[in-house]
Amino acid sequence: MVKLRLVFLAIAGPKNEQLYLEVFDSLEKSLLSKYQYLSELSLDVIQDLVQNPERTSNDCFLGLLGVEEDISTYAFCSNTNVKFILAVRSSDFVVRESEIRQLLRRIYTIHTHAVCNPFSLELTPDTLKQSLYFNETLQQLSLDWNNQ
Amino acid sequence: MSKSKVGEDVYKKVEKVNAELFVLTYGSIVAQLCRDMSYEHVNEELEKMGYNIGIRLIEDFLARTEWQRCVDFRETAETVAKVGFKMFLNVTPVVTDWSEEDKTFTLTLDDNPLGEFVELPVEARSKLWYSNILCGVIRGTLEMVQMDVDAYFVHDILRGDEHTNLKVHLKQILKEEIPAGDD
C-alpha cells in the first residue's frame, strides 16, 4: 500500500492549547503520542519564529519548521493566533512549498467556516471534532491531495 | 414586465448589507433563543418575529415595486417567490406542488442563505426549523394584503432532508373592514 503523504494535522489556539489533532493514516493511530510530541515541538518553534525581533515578513505561512526522521512539518499562523501544523512525509516524495501553502490556506478556510457555526460557542477541543462539515471536508481535501 | 425581471431590477436598486454579517446575526439570534428555551418554543418565537417583520415589510415591498393587486393566489405565489424573495434575499425559490383548489403551494429553496455555516446540534435535528422566521414573514406580509395563510416548513436541508420546502396554505381571504361610522 502506498504510504499516505500527509501524516497529521494539528490545530492550536491562541494560548497554544491543542484544539485538534488528526492522524490521516488510520493504521498509525498508535503513533498518536509521538505526533502529539511533534506538534508541541512545532509550537515551540512557531513561538520562536513569531517572537523573533528580526522577523521581516508578516506572512501568515511560516514555512518549513523542521524535519524529524522522514516527517517535515509546516505551519500557518492566522491573525487570531490560531496555528495550523501540517506534517508531510518527505522521504519518498518531493514536496513543493507552494502546494503546502495552498493546502494550509484551504484548511484555514474550512476551519473558519466550521467556527462560524452559530451553535458552536467557544473554541474547545470538541468543537472541531464534532463539526461534521470540518471532518468531511478535511477528509476530502486530504484524499484529493494524496491522489495528485 | 415579467416578475423575474422586476425582481432583478428592484434588487439592483436596493441598498445591500453584507451577507455574512446578516447570516451570523441571524445565527446568533437562533443560537441564543435555543439556549433560553426549548426548540418548540424557539420555532414559535421565530415565527412571531417573522410576523412582526412581515407586517412592516409589505409596505417596503409595495413602495419599491408599486405592485398592483394580484389576480389570484397563483399570481401571489409567483410574486412572493420571484419578486419578494429576490428583492430581500437575492434567492428565487421555485413554486411547486399546487393543491387541487389552488389553495396550497410549496416553495422550494435551492440554497437557503440563512443556513450558511450552520450545523444543527443533534438534539435540534428533529425539532428545530432553523429558518422559521421566513414562515412568519410570509404570514405577516400576506395578512396585510387580506390573505389569511398558514406557512410552515416541511423539509430542511439543515435537518438532513434533500431539499428545503416551505408550504403555504390559504385559509381565507379577509374581507376589507369598513371603519365604523362609514355608511
Side-chain angles (χ1 to χ4, degrees):
Chain A
M1 199 191 87
V2 180
K3 266 195 175 163
L4 292 178
R5 296 159 76 186
L6 292 176
V7 180
F8 72 81
L9 170 71
I11 304 184
K15 301 201 188 86
N16 284 349
E17 71 274 23
Q18 193 188 80
L19 294 172
Y20 188 80
L21 176 62
E22 164 92 2
V23 181
F24 288 105
D25 191 355
S26 45
L27 299 170
E28 288 184 359
K29 286 269 150 72
S30 51
L31 294 169
L32 187 67
S33 45
K34 174 181 167 195
Y35 294 147
Q36 267 174 340
Y37 170 68
L38 268 181
S39 62
E40 294 290 333
L41 262 185
S42 317
L43 281 175
D44 287 334
V45 179
I46 295 174
Q47 192 128 9
D48 281 337
L49 273 177
V50 167
Q51 283 173 354
N52 187 358
E54 292 168 340
R55 188 166 170 228
T56 45
S57 82
N58 275 329
D59 194 11
C60 289
F61 180 66
L62 299 170
L64 180 65
L65 294 180
V67 182
E68 163 119 3
E69 292 167 26
D70 61 341
I71 299 174
S72 23
T73 38
Y74 294 84
F76 178 95
C77 175
S78 81
N79 289 332
T80 50
N81 275 335
V82 178
K83 304 158 187 87
F84 297 84
I85 298 158
L86 186 66
V88 289
R89 204 173 293 283
S90 50
S91 56
D92 310 328
F93 313 97
V94 173
V95 177
R96 277 194 299 260
E97 196 162 292
S98 57
E99 279 180 12
I100 304 277
R101 188 190 285 260
Q102 209 184 39
L103 186 61
L104 273 171
R105 253 274 131 203
R106 281 165 72 188
I107 293 178
Y108 180 47
T109 313
I110 60 175
H111 167 265
T112 314
H113 192 287
V115 167
C116 283
N117 178 20
F119 291 103
S120 70
L121 268 184
E122 312 97 21
L123 215 57
T124 63
D126 285 335
T127 320
L128 288 174
K129 264 196 225 122
Q130 281 172 2
S131 164
L132 273 174
Y133 171 81
F134 186 74
N135 287 318
E136 281 173 11
T137 328
L138 191 61
Q139 287 283 65
Q140 191 60 45
L141 260 184
S142 65
L143 276 172
D144 290 341
W145 209 73
N146 279 319
N147 289 335
Q148 264 179 0
Chain B
M1 223 187 176
S2 83
K3 296 193 182 59
S4 324
K5 184 99 193 0
V6 174
E8 286 238 10
D9 287 345
V10 181
Y11 174 70
K12 281 190 200 133
K13 289 187 220 151
V14 298
E15 279 170 15
K16 316 274 187 309
V17 73
N18 181 311
E20 278 174 5
L21 175 64
F22 178 63
V23 168
L24 289 174
T25 307
Y26 182 69
S28 16
I29 293 177
V30 179
Q32 188 60 45
L33 283 175
C34 288
R35 287 192 276 276
D36 290 340
M37 53 182 90
S38 73
Y39 292 119
E40 289 80 16
H41 286 133
V42 175
N43 288 333
E44 284 172 18
E45 281 299 313
L46 288 176
E47 217 266 345
K48 274 192 237 166
M49 284 167 60
Y51 177 76
N52 288 326
I53 294 176
I55 56 180
R56 296 173 177 83
L57 200 66
I58 185 70
E59 304 291 337
D60 195 34
F61 174 81
L62 292 171
R64 288 188 203 272
T65 59
E66 291 167 16
W67 204 256
Q68 302 301 320
R69 197 173 275 281
C70 288
V71 167
D72 60 4
F73 196 52
R74 278 197 172 246
E75 197 184 333
T76 310
E78 296 285 325
T79 312
V80 165
K82 294 197 178 127
V83 189
F85 268 83
K86 176 74 185 170
M87 242 173 95
F88 294 114
L89 291 176
N90 196 23
V91 287
T92 313
V94 182
V95 180
T96 54
D97 203 27
W98 278 101
S99 72
E100 280 172 0
E101 295 149 30
D102 279 0
K103 291 238 168 155
T104 311
F105 65 92
T106 305
L107 281 172
T108 305
L109 283 116
D110 285 326
D111 63 316
N112 181 5
L114 295 175
E116 182 130 20
F117 308 131
V118 178
E119 264 181 68
L120 289 184
V122 186
E123 321 83 59
R125 288 228 180 118
S126 52
K127 297 185 200 156
L128 181 70
W129 293 115
Y130 184 81
S131 319
N132 216 32
I133 204 169
L134 295 177
C135 296
V137 173
I138 292 179
R139 183 168 72 90
T141 47
L142 291 181
E143 187 169 306
M144 287 293 119
V145 285
Q146 276 80 49
M147 279 175 263
D148 187 11
V149 296
D150 242 346
Y152 50 94
F153 271 98
V154 283
H155 294 123
D156 195 351
I157 287 184
L158 295 172
R159 279 201 182 195
D161 304 321
E162 277 185 32
H163 303 284
T164 305
N165 285 334
L166 211 175
K167 254 199 176 9
V168 181
H169 169 66
L170 175 68
K171 293 198 295 205
Q172 53 169 340
I173 306 267
L174 300 163
K175 285 223 187 95
E176 297 228 6
E177 286 179 3
I178 304 170
D182 271 20
D183 276 320

